[in-house]
Amino acid sequence: MPRSTASFIAYDVRPAKQTERRGIVEFLNCAKHAGFNVASYRYVGFGGTKFIDFQLMDRYVGFSSYRSIEHDEDIFDRCKFNKPFNSIEMYKGPFSVFLSTDNYDGNSVYWLDFEIGLNGELFSNVNAIAARAKDGDVILITIKGNTPGGKGTPKSILKSRLPGLKTWIERLKPGQFTDKQFPNTSGRVLLEILKSAFSNRSAEGKFHTVFKVIYEDSVPMCTVGGVFCRRGSQRPGKLKRAVARSLATMCPRGVAEFYTVPLFNFTELERILLDKSEVDNRTGYSRRLLTLGLSSDELEAYCKVSRFIPKYIESAF
């Protein structure tokens, strides 16, 4: 069994990841306004040793209960020791086994923040959760978006890993398999996996994709999120209108369109000027930043997601 990345990656100091997390918090609060009774939901995720997303969810969203899945037996006791509040229940084992034995009656928010890319394991897990999803469940899936390596071309490797999508993958163009373009391609494939998985539930309901984000701190990652609702439900439409008002950047309307979190590297003083310019609508601050060599595209990109970008401070003694 692969080693959990929680044992060697500092998940609490990844700015792009944290920007995505805060966007997900906003997405879930939009769901509240759209008629999803999120406060009564259970939150299911992979807390690791630091439970960063669990702490954010508890503070800014609020759920009735929490469940953390840990597949790495070597760090399970460490995870259990570090859980920040008692309402987090721990499960030792793969997510697929957890799902096959889970008898929870209520609704859930699943954030499956996987440490894998596009492969058969992902395909099986998505199919399993699609088969068990309840009306109103929220599902977010994060995967690695790096180009597949091994013998053969990236396209042939992907077709061998996902034989069920072989025909669809064959239609992808060579340019979509470059290192630069593949994060977006992985997102499109993930969308197709979800479409295929939920097709067996089409008589009952539909999975509505809303949240689509690509980010990178070290490895490119892709997240797709949405809701499964019975046919005729008004909630998906309300949710899409809610995110259009407050989270349009991370929830692009295009079917295969993703938002990519920029890699900002502003100083503390520059961020003060940026934030003042945005709040006070004072263009003088922006002009000052432009004279320092920052581009107008950088400033515009920052303003779109500034409220989600974390601030880290290192003290010198």
Side-chain angles (χ1 to χ4, degrees):
M1 184 173 292
R3 182 186 177 197
S4 171
T5 58
S7 62
F8 57 89
I9 293 179
Y11 280 104
D12 50 345
V13 288
R14 299 171 68 199
K17 176 71 175 177
Q18 188 72 342
T19 301
E20 178 221 28
R21 285 189 185 115
R22 294 186 179 187
I24 289 175
V25 165
E26 182 70 10
F27 169 65
L28 293 173
N29 282 320
C30 285
K32 286 183 179 180
H33 294 297
F36 295 85
N37 187 17
V38 174
S40 69
Y41 281 31
R42 173 188 62 165
Y43 178 76
V44 180
F46 307 144
T49 59
K50 296 186 178 179
F51 297 90
I52 305 300
D53 56 318
F54 281 73
Q55 295 183 65
L56 282 172
M57 296 303 171
D58 186 59
R59 179 175 297 181
Y60 298 112
V61 184
F63 294 94
S64 66
S65 62
Y66 299 82
R67 197 72 182 265
S68 180
I69 317 300
E70 181 51 60
H71 72 273
D72 189 344
E73 295 183 1
D74 291 338
I75 69 167
F76 182 81
D77 288 341
R78 184 181 172 193
C79 295
K80 191 173 181 179
F81 170 79
N82 281 293
K83 69 177 187 176
F85 39 91
N86 289 331
S87 57
I88 299 176
E89 295 183 50
M90 302 293 301
Y91 179 87
K92 184 194 296 185
F95 174 73
S96 57
V97 178
F98 161 77
L99 201 58
S100 66
T101 58
D102 183 39
N103 295 315
Y104 189 71
D105 291 330
N107 282 113
S108 298
V109 169
Y110 298 92
W111 185 5
L112 311 183
D113 196 354
F114 287 122
E115 300 167 348
I116 58 176
L118 296 165
N119 59 22
E121 179 186 352
L122 172 69
F123 194 86
S124 297
N125 279 321
V126 174
N127 274 282
I129 199 167
R132 292 165 173 77
K134 300 180 181 71
D135 173 40
D137 278 359
V138 180
I139 300 167
L140 297 124
I141 299 175
T142 300
I143 61 170
K144 286 184 177 179
N146 49 337
T147 309
K151 293 183 179 179
T153 64
K155 178 182 278 191
S156 65
I157 293 168
L158 198 58
K159 287 193 295 184
S160 67
R161 292 179 180 177
L162 300 170
L165 296 180
K166 187 175 181 179
T167 303
W168 186 88
I169 294 169
E170 185 59 44
R171 295 198 294 268
L172 295 174
K173 299 176 181 179
Q176 293 174 279
F177 288 88
T178 63
D179 289 345
K180 182 177 180 180
Q181 293 299 323
F182 196 77
N184 187 271
T185 301
S186 67
R188 293 189 62 187
V189 176
L190 179 54
L191 288 171
E192 197 63 24
I193 291 173
L194 282 160
K195 179 181 176 182
S196 171
F198 279 96
S199 63
N200 294 326
R201 305 286 303 275
S202 59
E204 307 165 57
K206 180 182 178 181
F207 182 75
H208 300 264
T209 303
V210 183
F211 188 89
K212 292 176 289 181
V213 169
I214 292 169
Y215 67 95
E216 180 176 355
D217 288 300
S218 54
V219 176
M221 305 292 290
C222 174
T223 298
V224 170
V227 294
F228 177 72
C229 289
R230 68 179 185 279
R231 290 203 168 273
S233 172
Q234 300 299 310
R235 290 183 296 176
K238 291 180 180 179
L239 175 58
K240 290 176 182 178
R241 289 191 290 274
V243 299
R245 290 190 296 268
S246 65
L247 195 62
T249 301
M250 294 190 182
C251 300
R253 298 293 293 273
V255 175
E257 185 181 353
F258 282 77
Y259 169 70
T260 300
V261 178
L263 296 175
F264 299 111
N265 190 25
F266 299 122
T267 67
E268 185 66 21
L269 182 56
E270 289 165 353
R271 286 192 65 170
I272 290 172
L273 293 180
L274 278 162
D275 293 339
K276 283 186 175 181
S277 176
E278 183 181 6
V279 173
D280 298 339
N281 197 26
R282 297 172 67 174
T283 57
Y285 293 123
S286 297
R287 285 197 297 269
R288 176 59 175 146
L289 289 166
L290 290 172
T291 65
L292 297 175
L294 279 69
S295 71
S296 57
D297 288 343
E298 282 182 286
L299 304 188
E300 183 180 355
Y302 174 85
C303 289
K304 287 181 178 179
V305 292
S306 59
R307 60 200 172 109
F308 303 128
I309 302 170
K311 291 185 179 180
Y312 300 120
I313 299 173
E314 181 176 341
S315 298
F317 295 96

